[in-house]
Every structure is written in structure tokens, then in C-alpha cells.
Amino acid sequence: MKRMTTIVIALALFSSCGNNTKETNSNGQKLSTDTEKSKTMKKVLFVLTSHEDLGDTRLKTGFWIEEFAAPYYLLKDKGIEITLASPKGGQPPIDPKSNEPDFQTPATVRFNKDTETQEVLSKTIKLETVNQVDYEAVFYPGGHGPLWDLAEDKNSIALIEDFYKNNKPVAAVCHAPAIFKHTKNTNGTSLVNGKKVTGFTNGEEEAVQLTSVVPFLVEDMLKSNGGIYSKKADWNPYAVEDGLLITGQNPASSELVAELLLEKLK
């Protein structure tokens, strides 16, 4: 009888041991899967302006909501991991006009209800802490702000050149192609020299009556830097891809730029 009891206990212990082993293996497999997912998830850096003064007008500017929200949600919904940065860190200024009723789109409506993304946006990391090795691509939303800070920011210039040198896409929309004002190739020529590009047109700037307010015109700058500039009729969606550079003409072009960038990441 004692022998039978011993056998029963031994079998119970063996069965329990087997269950524990199976559970450990299952957890280990899950951890491995999560690690692999983390490794394969594409990471994109968004760089936003920290500049809020619209020249000497005493009006405010910043980034344009549509130009952030449309690309952000398109990429995020496709499983892209996005990090937000700005020269000063923290909350980047939002152009107040971009929140007016006439400029609302499904993406801006979603953003205005999305407290989680608003919280993330309020805590952008400082641009000087960013390293391109951590990302597969970089995207610059527009708004008039970049004309004053990102076009001249040494950290931004170095970062763009580093992305490009390491064969990673650089995307910008509307006024954000201003970031190419001082960027160079390794041979010292302008990064946009001989490249097909677009950006906010002189006509569109004239239409918003800021031609004499902005420090320079995006269209003129891209042309003077040797870019092969093209455009559609004012306010029409238009995006151009040439190698690693992806540019969009105006707010309506934001989603087109994001779609081209997504294809590039695949």
C-alpha cells in the first residue's frame, strides 16, 4: 500500500512538473515574440517647430495641425512607432489658424478628440538628444514656424544630413521643405541640388498675405539651391519623391507625403 501511495505521489509530482515546464516555455515564447515585434516595428521621427512668433506681426504661428495629424495617424494606424521632437522640447506651438473651422479635416477632428496624442505632443523630446540610428526615417510637418527655427537649427541640419548619408528617407510638407535651406551633400552641394522637390508656392504665400512677413519664400529657396521644383495649382494636393527626399506642396498634400513615406519604409 505504501508502495502504491509512493507511485501516486511520484506521478502527481511528474505531472505538475510537466505543467510548469509547459507554462515556462509558453511565457518564453511570448517574450521572444514581443522582442521580435519590437525589433521589426519601423520607427519614424517627427520633428516639429518650436517657433511661435509670426515675424513682427504680433500674431502667433507654429506647426499646422493637419500637416502633423494626417501623417501621424496614417503611419501610426499602419503600426509605425513615432517619436516626437522639437528644438526646445515640450509642447510645440500650434498655429492658431490651423484650428479654425475652415481648416478642419477628419485628421484634425480626430486629433482634437485624442487626449492621449495631445499628451504625447506636449512632451516632445529635445532635438539635440536625437540620433538617427534609432529611426528608419524622419518627417517634418509644416506651418510657418520652421521658416524661422528649423531652417537655421544646426541640430536639425546635422540630423537631416545624417539620415540622408545613412540612406534613410527625409520627408517634409508645405513650409517644412524650408529645412533644406542649408543642408548639404557630402560633396558640399545643396541636398536638393538636382532633386525633384516641391513646397509651399509663392502664389499660396501671396494668397495668405505673408510674402513680406516670412524670412524667405520656400519655392524661391528650393530653386536657388538647385532643386528641380514643380507644383500644381494653388491648394491642390501634390507630392514628389526623388530618391530619399519626399516633399509635399501644401496642407492638402500631407497624407500623400505620408503614403509615399510608408511605401518607402516597406
Side-chain angles (χ1 to χ4, degrees), residues 215-231:
F216 62 92
L217 297 172
V218 174
E219 177 179 340
D220 286 352
M221 180 276 291
L222 291 172
K223 289 177 179 177
S224 66
N225 278 357
I228 304 171
Y229 181 88
S230 60
K231 59 186 176 181

Side-chain angles (χ1 to χ4, degrees), residues 123-141:
K123 299 176 180 177
T124 65
I125 61 175
K126 285 190 175 182
L127 193 56
E128 63 186 14
T129 68
V130 172
N131 193 320
Q132 63 80 23
V133 299
D134 298 320
Y135 308 96
E136 277 72 46
V138 61
F139 174 78
Y140 283 76

Side-chain angles (χ1 to χ4, degrees), residues 139-150:
F139 174 78
Y140 283 76
H144 281 89
L147 294 170
W148 278 274
D149 65 350
L150 293 174

Side-chain angles (χ1 to χ4, degrees), residues 249-263:
Q249 179 176 319
N250 47 38
S253 311
S254 303
E255 200 162 288
L256 291 179
V257 173
E259 287 171 353
L260 290 175
L261 180 56
L262 184 63
E263 285 301 310

